Amino acid sequence: MRGRLCTAAVFAAWLPLTACGIQETDVIGAGSAATVDLLPARQVRMLLFFLSPDGVLMPVPRSVGESEFAGEQHGPDSADDGGRPATEKTIAALLAGPNEAEKRAGLVNDVSLPALDAPAKTRTSVNGVDVILAAPLAGLTRPAEWQLICTVAYAESAEGTPMVTLRGTDGTRTPARCDPQPGVVSSAAATAPR
């Protein structure tokens, strides 16, 4: 009798696993990972990319009201998509460096970014977005490039997908798409914010 009870218990445990009719399959790819928009809403914030104390590229949302450009955001020429900050103003905020709260969190700009502290222009091209800087790109480090590319990509699109081409007075860099996790960059590339 006891043997029959054990056999019945094993069969009862095994039955739900095999009787449902679902066959085993291989892993099926379903596309890229979902993106979630950060708060505050995209219409009232800019997304800037600074370096962490360890040299990792970090997205930092900043409310338009927190930026030094807040008073300028409501003019007819200051925004380009439903009232969100214009890309040029977002670049200017990046070049100005972290605000006080961001500095306290240890966020910095790459040492080569302040050399670009000149008005930037952007234009849409067949390859994505061109960033025209009134400065040479020769001294721009790879971490600084990533800061600019990602900041511009997310200023242009909620998904950060546009290709970005940096153009300076001394030439043009290869178009690149933002990779928010390009890896840890040398901590020697970062310095105290301006």
Side-chain angles (χ1 to χ4, degrees):
M1 179 73 167
R2 188 173 178 165
R4 286 184 180 165
L5 284 176
C6 286
T7 302
V10 169
F11 181 73
W14 175 76
L15 188 61
L17 297 175
T18 60
C20 65
I22 298 175
Q23 295 182 4
E24 184 177 322
T25 63
D26 290 332
V27 175
I28 299 171
S32 60
T35 57
V36 178
D37 209 3
L38 301 170
L39 294 176
R42 184 169 188 264
Q43 291 76 18
V44 294
R45 63 114 167 113
M46 52 180 66
L47 190 61
L48 307 174
F49 283 78
F50 294 117
L51 299 175
S52 74
D54 297 332
V56 176
L57 193 65
M58 300 289 296
V60 179
R62 187 186 288 179
S63 292
V64 173
E66 294 173 7
S67 94
E68 63 189 84
F69 307 103
E72 300 174 23
Q73 292 300 324
H74 304 294
D77 297 325
S78 63
D80 59 4
D81 184 14
R84 69 182 173 85
T87 302
E88 291 86 359
K89 297 208 184 262
T90 304
I91 294 169
L94 173 71
L95 296 178
N99 63 24
E100 289 305 315
E102 295 157 353
K103 288 177 188 176
R104 284 193 300 274
L107 298 174
V108 297
N109 262 347
D110 181 83
V111 294
S112 66
L113 271 184
L116 298 178
D117 198 7
K121 299 286 183 199
T122 59
R123 71 172 179 229
T124 303
S125 71
V126 292
N127 294 329
V129 180
D130 290 350
V131 179
I132 301 132
L133 299 156
L137 299 177
L140 196 63
T141 65
R142 196 68 179 142
E145 280 185 38
W146 278 117
Q147 283 187 262
L148 277 166
I149 289 166
C150 289
T151 296
V152 169
Y154 279 92
E156 291 288 320
S157 162
E159 296 80 27
T161 55
M163 294 290 282
V164 177
T165 304
L166 302 179
R167 298 182 184 279
T169 58
D170 60 347
T172 302
R173 297 286 169 99
T174 304
R177 193 173 313 271
C178 175
D179 178 4
Q181 297 300 324
V184 177
V185 297
S186 169
S187 58
T191 187
R194 311 175 354 172

